Amino acid sequence: GKNYNEIIWKRRRNEKKFDTNKVFVTGKLIQMQFSIKRDVLLKSLNFVQGVVEKKNTLPILSNVLLNLKDKKLEIVATDLDIVFNDEITELNIVEEGSTTTSANVLFDILRKIPQNAEINFVKKNENKLSLKTENSDFNLLCLPTTNFPTFNDNFENEKIELDKTRFLSLLNKTKISISNDDTRHYLNGVYLHATESNKNTFLTGVATDSHRLSSSSITVENINNFTSIIIPRKTVFQLCSLLDNTNEKIIIQTSGNKIKFSLGKMSLISKVIDGKFPDYEKVVPKDNSKTLIVSSSDFISSVERVASVSIDRKEGVKLELSRDKLKLSVNSTNSGDGNEIVSAKYDGEDLSIGFNSKYLIDIASEIEDKNLTFSLKNSTSPVLVLDNADKNSFYVIMPMKL
């Protein structure tokens, strides 16, 4: 048989044109080569980190797909429940191609490379991706793209365009109440559904862990055909990260058991939770007659201070309400007690009630108004917390026995 390298060089000699930018490694033409600014790629890979599972039984799911095609770099990551997709056009493509490599390793390397550095990528073979900068040289292990999951993302339902800032606010206000109890999987997300009030249509998000409940609504036109869904916890947090770092409009579409969020060149497709969300309106208090109004900032600071004596925060904070005065206290058998008085407006008879301090702080931190408004009935009934700066949001919190 003929020498392999001799065959390669004869083939080259016979070519009418030869692109001198293309690189040869051990006699084989490279299938993928491009250069890109570190900061451009790092931004996209930062979102990938929230999707890819660090420890995975399927190694391919720890990888990110890099696909050079049609003058752009497509980046795809998935855990089989969520698919993140981004397109980058700010790069120089020498040769198109695709590969998959460790999302975590690639992200960690880019994080430590100097800002705005130019990075050159060359796929040396099916199993090796070269990454070079002016002073660095890495060879990353790869897995074939044929092993990477493919997805059918045909979303034919009507597109709904949302205000990015208001939708992010809805998610932030509701995610604090998402349950961590996997035995009731239908509570492990935000229930997104259409509601109507005073001839206005709303997109409403609700979450509850049975100890507290958050509800927030934003006005949206033409949403009557929206199918109610439960967005999983991981998707909610990943979506908040995307919305927090982009100024693009957000478009949502549903299809069967999936929902797609599009933000410019980025998209997030997620499975929805299969289950029926409880009738939450039944637990919203309707006849609480006592009202407590207190400064949001003063209240948060006071709760944090008195709760400091509880090492594991298991002891609840006791609220003693009397005319225009609020006393907060925590009593720990292991580490002592803390007491503080905060000025407040209260219109009912004296009342003592206990709460989980973390739940109080979580809710108070989402209130936009300078004051917190508590609507109470007695020491054992659910308490309604209102935000006078956002009439379309409310919270319910259950008292705890002290």
Side-chain angles (χ1 to χ4, degrees), residues 348-393:
E349 65 268 16
D350 291 2
L351 176 67
S352 290
I353 190 168
F355 296 103
N356 179 307
S357 61
K358 183 183 183 303
Y359 295 172
L360 284 178
I361 292 169
D362 284 348
I363 290 172
S365 299
E366 292 301 330
I367 299 292
E368 294 178 29
D369 195 62
K370 64 178 182 178
N371 291 323
L372 274 164
T373 301
F374 292 87
S375 180
L376 309 100
K377 185 176 184 180
N378 53 46
S379 61
T380 58
S381 298
V383 174
L384 184 65
V385 185
L386 301 171
D387 184 351
N388 289 325
D390 179 10
K391 300 289 188 181
N392 295 322
S393 296

Side-chain angles (χ1 to χ4, degrees), residues 2 73 234 253 320 339:
K2 293 183 179 180
L73 171 63
K234 183 176 176 179
Q253 279 178 285
E320 295 177 68
N339 301 275

Side-chain angles (χ1 to χ4, degrees), residues 11-253:
R11 191 178 297 164
R12 276 180 156 192
R13 209 166 41 236
N14 293 333
E15 284 179 350
K16 291 180 180 179
K17 284 187 178 181
F18 178 70
D19 188 346
T20 54
N21 285 324
K22 293 178 182 177
V23 177
F24 279 79
V25 179
T26 61
K28 295 181 73 175
L29 183 62
I30 294 304
Q31 296 178 340
M32 179 182 184
Q33 184 183 355
F34 68 99
S35 59
I36 191 169
K37 292 288 186 184
R38 170 259 193 193
D39 298 35
V40 174
L41 185 54
L42 184 63
K43 181 181 179 182
S44 188
L45 286 171
N46 188 43
F47 297 130
V48 165
Q49 296 308 297
V51 173
V52 171
E53 295 290 344
K54 302 296 183 290
K55 296 178 181 178
N56 219 305
T57 52
L58 291 173
I60 194 70
L61 295 181
S62 298
N63 282 15
V64 59
L65 172 66
L66 305 174
N67 186 25
L68 279 173
K69 193 177 180 182
D70 301 329
K71 298 181 181 179
K72 62 182 182 243
L73 171 63
E74 183 186 21
I75 292 173
V76 186
T78 184
D79 65 355
L80 296 182
D81 290 323
I82 305 173
V83 184
F84 169 76
N85 193 298
D86 193 12
E87 290 181 355
I88 298 174
T89 53
E90 304 164 70
L91 77 164
N92 177 38
I93 299 174
V94 178
E95 184 69 19
E96 292 183 345
S98 60
T99 190
T100 82
T101 191
S102 168
N104 191 36
V105 172
L106 182 56
F107 176 71
D108 207 31
I109 290 170
L110 291 180
R111 263 192 328 121
K112 293 164 184 174
I113 286 175
Q115 287 185 3
N116 217 32
E118 185 83 11
I119 306 174
N120 293 293
F121 287 88
V122 176
K123 182 181 173 184
K124 290 185 174 180
N125 56 50
E126 244 351 91
N127 304 314
K128 193 176 287 184
L129 179 67
S130 166
L131 183 163
K132 288 184 179 180
T133 66
E134 188 177 359
N135 301 311
S136 305
D137 185 357
F138 298 91
N139 286 298
L140 307 183
L141 295 180
C142 303
L143 289 172
T145 56
T146 51
N147 293 349
F148 202 82
T150 55
F151 305 95
N152 180 14
D153 58 351
N154 293 327
F155 286 82
E156 297 173 356
N157 288 1
E158 188 179 359
K159 293 181 179 180
I160 300 170
E161 188 176 304
L162 303 175
D163 180 273
K164 168 238 164 179
T165 305
R166 289 167 61 223
F167 186 56
L168 176 59
S169 174
L170 179 151
L171 294 177
N172 282 331
K173 290 178 179 185
T174 52
K175 72 181 183 184
I176 58 172
S177 297
I178 294 175
S179 174
N180 291 311
D181 181 6
D182 291 329
T183 61
R184 291 187 291 175
H185 68 284
Y186 51 85
L187 297 182
N188 295 159
V190 171
Y191 176 50
L192 213 58
H193 57 297
T195 56
E196 198 171 326
S197 177
N198 299 325
K199 295 184 179 179
N200 291 322
T201 52
F202 297 87
L203 182 65
T204 298
V206 179
T208 183
D209 59 5
S210 74
H211 301 291
R212 55 183 166 168
L213 179 146
S214 305
S215 174
S216 184
S217 301
I218 56 175
T219 52
V220 181
E221 293 180 6
N222 304 321
I223 201 175
N224 295 326
N225 296 326
F226 183 79
T227 306
S228 301
I229 54 166
I230 306 171
I231 308 174
R233 179 198 306 112
K234 183 176 176 179
T235 306
V236 171
F237 279 83
Q238 183 64 13
L239 195 52
C240 286
S241 176
L242 286 173
L243 291 167
D244 227 359
N245 290 279
T246 182
N247 292 318
E248 301 282 354
K249 290 180 180 177
I250 180 164
I251 295 169
I252 63 174
Q253 279 178 285

